[in-house]
Amino acid sequence: MRVEIWSDIACPWCYVGKARFDKALDAFPHRDEVEVVHRSFELDPGRAKGDVQPVITMLTRKYGMSEAQAQAGEENLGTQAAAEGLAYRTRDRDHGNTFDMHRLLHLAKARGLQDELIALFYKANFAEERTVFGDDERLVELAAAAGLDADEARGVLADPAAYADDVRADEREAAELGANGVPFFVLDRTYGVSGAQPAEVFAQALAQAWGERPRLTPVQDGAAEVCGPDGCAVPQD
């Protein structure tokens, strides 16, 4: 079974939602038969790479809330994150363009390290002091920590076209699926779960999707030779 997760590194509910989903997945009896793929979604796609500003400033300008309201929201998110065992800096975080991080996540997907890298990106953005925005070497360090080749990651960042089409394709697909916010979870292209739902909701969705997977009906017409783990059948005279 495949689970696709549309998310953005700048999205705090994606950070919390992933932890809740992971908790449900870890307890799922068929965990080893579930493939998780992270898909790209930008909350602020029009922001220039060098346009980095404090989260509180972004919230007040984008949503028209007061600084007190914005800070209260951050405090609430910190509480929600702590409940999932996540560290969360409620003050002095910043906000910026995430396109390059999504491009590196596609590189990580090609190398089988996507989950490792997105976890490090989330932790760096929400829990660590050093910014992940506008600092290519910071992204290279995180990519290397996830197991990617640092020079390869650096090469991707130096080439604006590298994996750009993959990011845009994910975003178009999100729109086609009707996802206008993240996190958005799609299970076997049959069920969609929107938002940072409780782990119990994810557990129910996993069980339901697994139970309704199509089963093959074998069609046989007599015995035929096959190969298996123990070797191939050899015709006997």
Side-chain angles (χ1 to χ4, degrees), residues 53-68:
Q53 63 183 173
V55 166
I56 298 300
T57 301
M58 180 275 293
L59 292 172
T60 58
R61 292 179 179 176
K62 188 172 183 177
Y63 301 106
M65 59 179 66
S66 67
E67 287 192 9

Side-chain angles (χ1 to χ4, degrees), residues 122-137:
Y122 278 139
K123 181 182 177 184
N125 183 40
F126 291 107
E128 297 177 359
E129 185 173 351
R130 185 177 169 190
T131 186
V132 295
F133 300 108
D135 184 351
D136 283 359
E137 281 306 305

Side-chain angles (χ1 to χ4, degrees), residues 10-90:
C11 165
W13 288 118
C14 296
Y15 179 47
V16 173
K18 181 181 184 302
R20 292 173 178 173
F21 172 78
D22 286 347
K23 186 181 298 183
L25 184 61
D26 287 343
F28 187 55
H30 308 285
R31 168 67 185 91
D32 292 341
E33 297 175 76
V34 178
E35 176 192 14
V36 178
V37 178
H38 296 281
R39 301 290 192 191
S40 302
F41 190 104
E42 293 174 274
L43 291 174
D44 205 352
R47 182 177 290 272
K49 180 174 179 176
D51 183 6
V52 180
Q53 63 183 173
V55 166
I56 298 300
T57 301
M58 180 275 293
L59 292 172
T60 58
R61 292 179 179 176
K62 188 172 183 177
Y63 301 106
M65 59 179 66
S66 67
E67 287 192 9
Q69 289 172 322
Q71 188 59 54
E74 285 294 287
E75 298 294 341
N76 176 58
L77 281 162
T79 300
Q80 298 285 339
E84 304 304 328
L86 301 172
Y88 190 100
R89 296 177 67 237
T90 59

Side-chain angles (χ1 to χ4, degrees), residues 176-213:
E176 291 166 2
L177 290 170
N180 54 15
V182 286
F184 187 69
F185 302 76
V186 177
L187 290 75
D188 256 1
R189 288 298 168 114
T190 302
Y191 293 98
V193 179
S194 180
Q197 300 288 346
E200 294 77 14
V201 173
F202 288 122
Q204 181 182 356
L206 286 166
Q208 188 168 350
W210 181 268
E212 296 184 15
R213 291 163 66 230

